[in-house]
Amino acid sequence: MNAFLQSAAQAAGVDAADMHAALEHAAAGGVSPVLALIESGAVDERLFTRHLAESLRWQWLETPQPQPDDTAEIKRLIPARFAVRHQVFPVGFSGEAPQRKLLLACHDPFDLTTKQAVARISLLPVQWCLTPRSELLSAIQQLYGVGAETFDELIEARGDANADSHLRDEASVIDDEDEDASVVKFVNQIIREALAQKATDIHVEPQPDSLRIRYRIDGFLHEIPVPENIKQLQASVIARIKVMSKLDIAEKRLPQDGRINLMAEGQSLDVRVACIPSVEGESISLRLLGQERFTLDRLGLSDEHREVIEGLLAKPNGIVLVTGPTGSGKSTTLYTFLSQLNSVHRRIVTIEDPVENKLPGIVQIPVKTEIGLTFASGLRSILRGDPNVVMVGEIRDLETAEIAVRASLTGHLVFSTLHTNDALGGITRLIEMGVKPFLVSSSVRAFIAQRLVRCLCASCKTTATYKREQLVKLGFPEAKSETLYHATPGGCQQCRGTGYSGRIALYEFAIMTPALQALVSQRASEAELLAQARKEGFTSIREYGLQKALDGITTLEEVARVTTDELA
């Protein structure tokens, strides 16, 4: 074995010292030498496994895929639980009967325990293939679905499960101790996989013949593979989530909201749950809210904009409004501002609908309209509680806006959000609500508009030259024909095949300078306000995004997707 390992490692560029250290670690820790060498980081996994396959004269598969016509049969021969436990992947078959063989991929050709287990379970002779471990695990998930091994346990536990078993009452499912334990494990796997893929939301959606599960990753929904016949356990899965979030499992006709507090990988996780009835059963959405650290560094601000923000946070009073559509990151920006101001010398109070993240040292009040606790009534009470800084989740009506204005004029620093397309549109929105123009000009310090765009995957982004007509079509006629970056079609493993990884905010700042204040008091049009802001160095979201594209952080297509020509 060591001879094959050393030969493959040497061909892959591993020096003798790293090889010796990996072998010593494997012997001391009781792990496979192949796994120890890969986990040491001293070797490129793809290159190493390819050379190892050549040494053993095995077939090497860079990305294992099942043969389409054989999917049902290979799943029957190699169940999900076995594939996950022993980390083997059934590719298909070779040859014809009676010489027919099962093609089975693994990542460690020297794992005798796995080979013995396969020999016991396989009804056919096995022809082994070698593949990188990361690709193997991804292929298993794609073939069987997330949590498929637990699904197998559930089906076996039922014994006489049939196609209509999902219609049983949830109470009987929860009362079944063995099955309940497996349902818990299955739901936990769904959440754990969402965290591993850095999803922000999980949607469990009943379909006529299946239970669809989708993750929202970087703002886009991705359907994940699920086990076949998962419809049988629809009631069990939904009931488990409702129990976790302390919802009434007997109530299926009305929407319900709840929360789940979890510990995942040593980190506290707050999950907001929304359950709504549908014609195919209850649909559940889970918003994953990690206990993040909100710092200015995470916002990706330019040096110029960071100075502006620090100046606004140093003001003793006034209103700072963040504008943008739902899902544009406004709450994250406001939480960052509050975290920067949070100290023992300041009393900070918020009223939100709902409270998305719990910030230590800050008093946070959730809106409860059913008992009369609205933004306006809550804000009145907050101002009687001697705050220094106030955050209102959203200004929705004239009453809330007027109280916020009075609070700023009486020495409070107020943060809030508005739903407008751009920064200067916030001025128009407040005036249309009924706030007097002179109050807007004297109380508001700045309007900040923002959008979220996906960042290019650093591992697979490639260059692209845009022609003049392409720039015009995308809405960037002012840009020169330059070599930029774009997302590689099909992406890579690091970005889950999307070409993008993570998101960054694009900003637009409208600071209320004396000249703008005068124009607002005179009820100037938005076009006049924009002309004056331009004179003072105003940069639109689209222009800000163009610079991010030139820096290789995102693409022109992403900037065009989240902005409009009116914003330019």
Side-chain angles (χ1 to χ4, degrees), residues 494-510:
Q494 280 72 23
C495 61
R496 303 169 302 279
T498 64
Y500 295 94
S501 179
R503 289 190 290 177
I504 192 172
L506 307 182
Y507 292 99
E508 178 179 283
F509 284 69

Side-chain angles (χ1 to χ4, degrees), residues 69-330:
D69 298 335
D70 301 326
T71 301
E73 188 175 359
I74 61 176
K75 282 183 174 180
R76 180 178 58 82
L77 291 174
I78 304 294
R81 203 162 24 147
F82 185 89
V84 171
R85 179 180 179 183
H86 295 285
Q87 296 188 1
V88 293
F89 179 78
V91 179
F93 302 96
S94 67
E96 299 292 336
Q99 283 80 35
R100 194 175 187 224
K101 292 183 178 181
L102 173 65
L103 294 176
L104 206 58
C106 68
H107 68 90
D108 186 354
F110 308 117
D111 188 345
L112 296 180
T113 303
T114 295
K115 288 185 176 181
Q116 291 170 356
V118 169
R120 286 194 299 270
I121 194 175
S122 178
L123 301 176
L124 294 172
V126 175
Q127 179 179 329
W128 289 95
C129 312
L130 201 60
T131 191
R133 183 170 183 265
S134 55
E135 295 292 343
L136 177 76
L137 298 178
S138 177
I140 291 173
Q141 187 181 103
Q142 288 296 320
L143 177 62
Y144 296 101
V146 175
E149 67 276 20
T150 306
F151 182 82
D152 282 356
E153 293 174 10
L154 283 165
I155 295 300
E156 289 177 12
R158 288 192 168 197
D160 61 344
N162 55 65
D164 296 324
S165 61
H166 68 276
L167 299 176
R168 296 192 303 169
D169 183 69
E170 286 91 344
S172 64
V173 174
I174 296 302
D175 289 339
D176 186 337
E177 183 179 350
D178 292 336
E179 185 171 301
D180 180 44
S182 295
V183 170
V184 170
K185 183 179 176 183
F186 181 76
V187 172
N188 286 348
Q189 284 178 284
I190 297 297
I191 297 175
R192 191 179 297 113
E193 181 63 25
L195 292 173
Q197 296 195 29
K198 299 181 180 178
T200 57
D201 299 83
I202 304 172
H203 297 285
V204 181
E205 304 163 322
Q207 304 295 305
D209 56 357
S210 183
L211 183 65
R212 182 170 71 177
I213 299 178
R214 295 191 289 175
Y215 295 158
R216 187 176 294 279
I217 304 171
D218 294 338
F220 281 73
L221 285 172
H222 300 268
E223 186 170 356
I224 65 167
V226 294
E228 294 178 358
N229 302 321
I230 193 175
K231 187 73 175 178
Q232 295 180 26
L233 296 173
Q234 172 179 311
S236 304
V237 172
I238 291 174
R240 171 57 191 165
I241 297 174
K242 291 174 74 173
V243 168
M244 291 173 71
S245 50
K246 296 180 175 60
L247 300 180
D248 183 0
I249 64 172
E251 179 56 74
K252 306 175 189 177
R253 301 166 300 168
L254 296 174
Q256 298 185 72
D257 295 318
R259 298 185 90 96
I260 305 172
N261 293 312
L262 298 175
M263 286 297 294
E265 299 178 356
Q267 186 180 18
S268 177
L269 184 71
D270 194 18
V271 183
R272 199 170 75 217
V273 181
C275 179
I276 56 176
S278 73
V279 292
E280 297 296 340
E282 292 173 287
S283 175
I284 295 186
S285 297
L286 297 89
R287 169 65 59 87
L288 307 178
L289 303 168
Q291 301 300 311
E292 307 175 59
R293 291 189 63 190
F294 296 96
T295 63
L296 287 178
D297 292 334
R298 291 193 59 189
L299 296 182
L301 294 164
S302 64
D303 292 340
E304 179 185 356
H305 282 167
R306 180 161 184 154
E307 287 182 14
V308 172
I309 289 296
E310 290 173 345
L312 291 172
L313 297 182
K315 301 284 185 184
N317 55 53
I319 303 176
V320 176
L321 291 170
V322 181
T323 74
T326 300
S328 59
K330 301 187 299 296

Side-chain angles (χ1 to χ4, degrees), residues 8-9 12-14 34 37-49:
V14 181
V34 172
L37 186 60
I38 292 172
E39 290 183 342
S40 70
V43 65
D44 179 272
E45 184 181 5
R46 291 176 184 270
L47 190 61
F48 170 68
T49 53

